[in-house]
Amino acid sequence: MASDTEDELPSDLFQEPADYYPPEKPATFASYELVSGETLDLRLVGGNPLWGHMLWNAGKVTARYLEEHAEQLVKDKDVLELGAGAGLPSLVCQRRGARK
């Protein structure tokens, strides 16, 4: 049975104040141009350079290599990218004919 004091407890007892968390940073965007001239526009996440808010040079180099050697490495193959950031190499593989 509920007591009268339970009915009087504030409903927001465990609620953080509105300004408790810092404001969310705006999204960062980057573009990557394929050899074919098509442009991929990527929405990057995070605000720390270690968390993928930049399009990493290693991702660009890997994507370019996969694109240039797509017939041997990508076309009609399953691709699994283990990494972080925007997933640029995976997106390039999809554009160049990977099955999955």
Side-chain angles (χ1 to χ4, degrees):
M1 210 171 176
S3 69
D4 292 336
T5 58
E6 286 181 1
D7 294 334
E8 296 172 15
L9 292 175
S11 62
D12 62 348
L13 183 63
F14 297 105
Q15 195 74 7
E16 292 90 2
D19 59 349
Y20 182 76
Y21 293 105
E24 195 170 309
K25 294 183 179 181
T28 305
F29 294 89
S31 294
Y32 177 81
E33 187 172 337
L34 298 168
V35 172
S36 66
E38 181 182 3
T39 301
L40 296 177
D41 294 318
L42 307 166
R43 182 182 187 275
L44 308 175
V45 297
N48 183 311
L50 298 176
W51 294 342
H53 86 288
M54 298 187 315
L55 189 53
W56 294 339
N57 289 332
K60 292 180 195 177
V61 171
T62 303
R64 182 68 62 198
Y65 184 83
L66 289 168
E67 188 177 6
E68 291 171 354
H69 298 90
E71 288 297 319
Q72 301 87 17
L73 299 175
V74 175
K75 188 151 180 78
D76 297 324
K77 298 207 167 96
D78 295 338
V79 175
L80 172 64
E81 177 185 354
L82 301 175
L88 178 62
S90 295
L91 295 170
V92 167
C93 288
Q94 183 273 329
R95 292 283 200 239
R96 297 293 291 165
R99 277 190 306 222
K100 295 184 195 176

